[in-house]
Amino acid sequence: VELKEFNQEKAHEKNLLIRLHDLAAEFFHQKFLLDTKAQKARDYLKARNISTETIAKFKLGFASSDKNEPKMLIKHLQSKVENLSEETILRASLAYKTDDGNIIDRFRHRLMIPVFDERARCIAFGARTLDEDFGPKYINSAETDIYIKGDNLYGLDIAKEAIRKKDSVILVEGFFDVISLCQVGFDNIVANQGTALTANQIRKLSKYTLSKKIYLCFDTDQAGEKATDSAAQVIDQTLAQNEYELRVIRVPGGKDPDDYIKENSLEAFEKIVSEAPY
């Protein structure tokens, strides 16, 4: 009985954390669309040629930069969920504790990129700074009961049908590789969010492609080459040798795929993909 109660409690906690993330994703998305302070975020995406359809598809958002309102999201969540404590929001990695013991919003003055699980439920965020002097370029959610980095792949909720249909998947490094490639029609694409590829991620992916055709498209710099090698090793250790097909896409000039497409064409990139060596 105790174990059953414990499991029920765990399930309840997970459902609550997912609900908080879904509410937060909607809150940030509305801020992006309507808040006058979000202009910098809108300009940034415009400069990257990200369309309004793509913004809606990936539910991109904005975390406000109002210094007088360090609990904007906390207050919003508490208005939506009865008896919600700040401690729970802290556990969800949507807030953090300052040195003086105050609990405030974790994400501020950032472009918000929600991370969804396979069932399209929000479980985490990537947050890009809109001001290079304002902390690190990216802040990501910490691991929680609903978010384990090595188990999730960014974009899988959107890509899984295309992976099935095309019987192949392209694995990239960053959020914007997925977003921009998806916008131009490469919809069988996911990212491991800049962390080393894990066996769990490979197992999750291989459910969707029968012939297990995996394309790696990482940066061509030293770090990217290292990531490619270690990803190839993980794939080799996780899947039986003769049951997968691994190809490596190397974009000429060391460019990001979306930059390459902008400067050349979608067809040019498709050619690189189709000629990618084993």
Side-chain angles (χ1 to χ4, degrees):
V1 174
E2 276 176 14
L3 185 65
K4 193 179 176 192
E5 274 173 23
F6 172 75
N7 286 340
Q8 278 175 332
E9 233 170 81
K10 265 284 197 230
H12 176 72
E13 169 85 354
K14 282 185 173 182
N15 288 339
L16 178 57
L17 296 193
I18 287 167
R19 184 165 177 227
L20 295 182
H21 276 80
D22 280 334
L23 287 168
E26 190 52 48
F27 177 75
F28 292 138
H29 186 54
Q30 289 307 317
K31 285 264 174 240
F32 177 90
L33 298 175
L34 306 169
D35 196 327
T36 50
K37 292 195 180 80
Q39 197 49 51
K40 217 169 183 178
R42 292 191 284 263
D43 290 343
Y44 174 78
L45 291 185
K46 196 176 175 185
R48 291 198 74 143
N49 295 322
I50 304 296
S51 70
T52 44
E53 291 78 18
T54 300
I55 289 164
K57 187 175 196 172
F58 286 91
K59 218 167 191 165
L60 302 178
F62 170 70
S64 187
S65 46
D66 195 332
K67 285 186 175 67
N68 305 319
E69 278 287 0
K71 294 186 181 229
M72 213 178 266
L73 177 65
I74 291 172
K75 284 177 182 168
H76 175 73
L77 294 176
Q78 287 180 324
S79 76
K80 296 283 184 189
V81 180
E82 231 176 288
N83 304 321
L84 178 65
S85 70
E86 290 188 350
E87 290 293 334
T88 304
I89 301 171
L90 195 63
R91 278 203 308 278
S93 186
L94 294 169
Y96 73 97
K97 203 172 253 180
T98 61
D99 294 339
D100 56 7
N102 248 337
I103 294 177
I104 63 171
D105 291 349
R106 182 181 180 91
F107 303 109
R108 288 156 70 208
H109 194 53
R110 286 180 177 266
L111 175 73
M112 298 302 293
I113 305 160
V115 176
F116 296 95
D117 67 9
E118 285 166 280
R119 289 159 62 185
R121 304 175 306 177
C122 186
I123 52 169
F125 289 95
R128 193 196 190 283
T129 186
L130 294 164
D131 187 340
E132 299 307 332
D133 307 328
F134 201 87
K137 189 173 174 184
Y138 277 97
I139 292 177
N140 297 316
S141 293
E143 294 204 340
T144 62
D145 281 352
I146 57 170
Y147 178 57
I148 295 160
K149 268 193 186 123
D151 285 356
N152 288 284
L153 289 147
Y154 178 69
L156 186 56
D157 56 308
I158 289 172
K160 59 186 185 184
E161 287 314 314
I163 295 170
R164 260 194 198 112
K165 214 180 281 177
K166 295 180 179 175
D167 194 20
S168 66
V169 61
I170 299 174
L171 195 60
V172 293
E173 282 183 280
F175 296 118
F176 277 99
D177 293 326
V178 172
I179 292 166
S180 5
L181 283 172
C182 191
Q183 180 169 287
V184 295
F186 269 90
D187 44 6
N188 59 332
I189 195 145
V190 296
N192 59 327
Q193 303 159 80
T195 55
L197 193 66
T198 68
N200 276 357
Q201 288 171 324
I202 291 303
R203 278 193 280 271
K204 194 165 268 195
L205 271 187
S206 62
K207 286 192 311 198
Y208 294 104
T209 149
L210 271 177
S211 57
K212 299 182 180 23
K213 242 186 231 144
I214 302 169
Y215 291 81
L216 299 179
C217 185
F218 295 162
D219 291 347
T220 49
D221 59 10
Q222 209 177 344
E225 291 292 348
K226 210 173 156 186
T228 301
D229 288 344
S230 83
Q233 267 178 343
V234 173
I235 293 166
D236 191 48
Q237 286 157 8
T238 310
L239 302 174
Q241 199 126 43
N242 54 359
E243 73 165 3
Y244 72 88
E245 184 183 309
L246 177 65
R247 290 169 179 250
V248 177
I249 299 165
R250 287 199 166 82
V251 183
K255 288 185 169 48
D256 281 344
D258 62 317
D259 287 336
Y260 182 81
I261 289 166
K262 275 175 209 146
E263 287 168 28
N264 298 272
S265 67
L266 181 59
E267 289 72 31
F269 184 70
E270 280 172 338
K271 192 171 189 292
I272 294 168
V273 173
S274 66
E275 291 172 359
Y278 286 92

